[in-house]
Amino acid sequence: MLSSAGRHCQRLYQTIATRHQLSCRRRRYLYDAHGSALYDKIVDLQEYYPYRTEINMLKNESPSIIEHIVPGSVIVELGCGSATKTGLILNALLERDGPEGCFFEGIDCSAEFLHSARRNLLDTCPGLLQGNLGTICALYLDGLKEARRRHPGKVLCVLWLGSSVGNLDSEQTMSFFRSVLSIGGSDTQLFVCADLWKDAGMLHAAYCDSQGVTEQFIKNGLANAMDVLGVHMPVLAGGWQYDVVVNADLQQVEMWVVAPCNFYVPGTDISIVQGERVLMEVSRKFTQTRLRGLAFQAGWCWQASWTDGKYSMQMLNSPR
Ligand code: AVI
C-alpha cells in the first residue's frame, strides 16, 4: 500500500511522464549535462564503492569472463558513456581472438560520449580495428535493434555494466530483460552487473557522501523536474532537505527530498505540503539468487556468475 506521500510522488512523476512522454522519467532529469558531470564526481568519491568495485572485478575476472563469450561475437554495450571499463573486456578478447575477431558496438544517447568512447577505445585497445568499432546514438533498446540489424546472424554479447539495473523496479527490470531477449533473438548473451545488499552503514555513506555531491546530484534532478512542471521557486530550491533511507525490507537505498513549503503544480490538482517527501531515486541492491530469478522469469538461461561478496556479475544466455 502506498502512503499518501508515495501516491503524491507517483502522481508528480506521472504528470511529468504524461506531459513529456518520457519512459524513464526520473533518469532524464537526473542526467542532464550538469547531472552527468556530478555523477562523474560521484564515481570518484571515497564512499561510493560500486564503481571501483566493478572495475576491480573486471580487471581480475576478464580472462574468465571471456571464456563464456563465443569467438566472433559482437560486444554491444548499453549506455557505454566514455567506455572507460569496456577496454578490460575488449583487450582480453583481442588477445584471444586477434583484431579480426573482435567487434564492438557502443550505444549511448549522448553523441559526445560516443565520440569519447571511440577515442578512448582506440587509445586503450591497440589492435582494435576502426572498422570493427561502431557507435549508435540511441536509447538502449532502439540501439540494440540497430546493433542486431548491423550484425545479422552473429552472436551479440550485450554488456550492461554500472549496476544500472538497480535503478529500475522489478517490473521494469523484467520487461527490460524480456525486450533485450526478444530484440537480440536466439543468439544473444547478456552480461549484467549489479550491486549486492550489504551493511546499511556502507550503503548509507555511498549515497549520502560527506562532500554532499550526491545531494547536489539529486537536487539538480529535482530542479530540472520542477522546471518542467512549471514550478518556479529558485529561492526554495535550497530549502529542500535531502534524506537517504536504507530500506532493509525492500533491499534498496532510497534518495528522498523533503518539501520546504506548500506548493501547487500549475495546471494540475497536485499540491505538495511542507514536509512532504518526494522519492527522487531508488538504488536496488540484490542477492545473486534474486537477480538470477528475475532473469530466469524473463526467459534467460544462467551461464556463469562472478562475485566478490559485494558485487555481482551474471552471464546470461538466450535459450537455444
Ligand atoms: C547509475 N546508478 C547505478 C547509480 C546507483 O548507484 O544507483 C546512480 C546513483 N545515484 C546516486 N548515486 C549514484
Side-chain angles (χ1 to χ4, degrees):
M1 227 344 226
L2 279 175
S3 66
S4 81
R7 274 196 297 273
H8 268 316
C9 303
Q10 276 215 334
R11 295 193 57 208
L12 196 66
Y13 279 110
Q14 229 137 34
T15 310
I16 302 172
T18 10
R19 278 193 195 171
H20 299 276
Q21 298 175 358
L22 301 176
S23 54
C24 33
R25 47 202 190 269
R26 287 181 191 155
R27 300 187 66 76
R28 282 280 175 108
Y29 298 105
L30 292 170
Y31 294 93
D32 65 338
H34 186 49
S36 300
L38 287 169
Y39 187 66
D40 283 348
K41 286 192 182 169
I42 289 178
V43 299
D44 284 337
L45 291 169
Q46 229 298 93
E47 296 100 323
Y48 191 74
Y49 62 86
Y51 184 82
R52 272 192 313 276
T53 308
E54 187 177 86
I55 292 199
N56 286 336
M57 280 187 70
L58 285 172
K59 274 187 189 151
N60 296 335
E61 306 292 358
S62 282
S64 144
I65 292 167
I66 67 152
E67 278 176 26
H68 297 271
I69 301 178
V70 182
S73 300
V74 182
I75 307 300
V76 179
E77 186 175 357
L78 302 176
C80 64
S82 316
T84 45
K85 304 169 200 160
T86 331
L88 295 166
I89 297 219
L90 292 183
N91 276 322
L93 281 173
L94 279 164
E95 202 178 315
R96 186 190 70 183
D97 301 336
E100 303 292 339
C102 187
F103 305 88
F104 178 75
E105 295 284 357
I107 300 171
D108 205 284
C109 51
S110 153
E112 221 173 292
F113 274 138
L114 288 173
H115 185 70
S116 71
R118 210 180 148 75
R119 238 189 5 232
N120 231 336
L121 291 177
L122 288 171
D123 282 354
T124 56
C125 304
L128 184 61
L129 299 176
Q130 292 217 22
N132 289 355
L133 198 182
T135 55
I136 302 170
C137 194
L139 295 174
Y140 291 179
L141 296 178
D142 293 334
L144 186 57
K145 281 182 198 154
E146 175 58 15
R148 181 33 94 208
R149 195 194 61 76
R150 289 183 188 178
H151 303 277
K154 284 206 171 218
V155 175
L156 299 185
C157 177
V158 181
L159 307 183
W160 195 19
L161 309 181
S163 62
S164 301
V165 61
N167 301 122
L168 304 183
D169 63 30
S170 291
E171 232 170 84
Q172 291 168 327
T173 305
M174 291 280 290
S175 136
F176 187 74
F177 278 172
R178 282 200 184 106
S179 303
V180 172
L181 186 55
S182 94
I183 295 168
S186 58
D187 282 325
T188 305
Q189 293 181 295
L190 177 60
F191 179 71
V192 56
C193 300
D195 195 17
L196 296 177
W197 177 252
K198 55 179 67 63
D199 171 69
M202 189 170 176
L203 287 173
H204 191 273
Y207 295 88
C208 193
D209 61 274
S210 52
Q211 293 177 46
V213 184
T214 313
E215 175 171 348
Q216 285 176 48
F217 169 74
I218 292 296
K219 286 187 176 171
N220 174 64
L222 174 71
N224 289 338
M226 290 299 152
D227 214 32
V228 169
L229 289 168
V231 180
H232 297 295
M233 41 178 197
V235 184
L236 298 181
W240 288 80
Q241 199 191 313
Y242 178 57
D243 186 29
V244 172
V245 174
V246 177
N247 186 330
D249 292 336
L250 298 176
Q251 298 210 325
Q252 62 189 26
V253 180
E254 300 164 354
M255 286 151 264
W256 296 83
V257 286
V258 187
C261 62
N262 301 346
F263 67 88
Y264 287 98
V265 177
T268 72
D269 60 350
I270 299 176
S271 59
I272 300 282
V273 295
Q274 183 182 17
E276 191 165 332
R277 300 164 66 77
V278 175
L279 182 59
M280 291 299 298
E281 171 147 76
V282 169
S283 191
R284 294 201 305 145
K285 307 298 168 186
F286 296 83
T287 59
Q288 297 224 85
T289 316
R290 190 153 62 95
L291 186 60
R292 281 183 214 136
L294 283 170
F296 182 71
Q297 281 179 59
W300 289 92
C301 304
W302 173 83
Q303 191 183 354
S305 307
W306 296 263
T307 183
D308 66 348
K310 279 196 240 147
Y311 203 79
S312 161
M313 296 174 163
Q314 307 283 331
M315 183 68 86
L316 309 167
N317 262 341
S318 52
R320 307 257 156 219

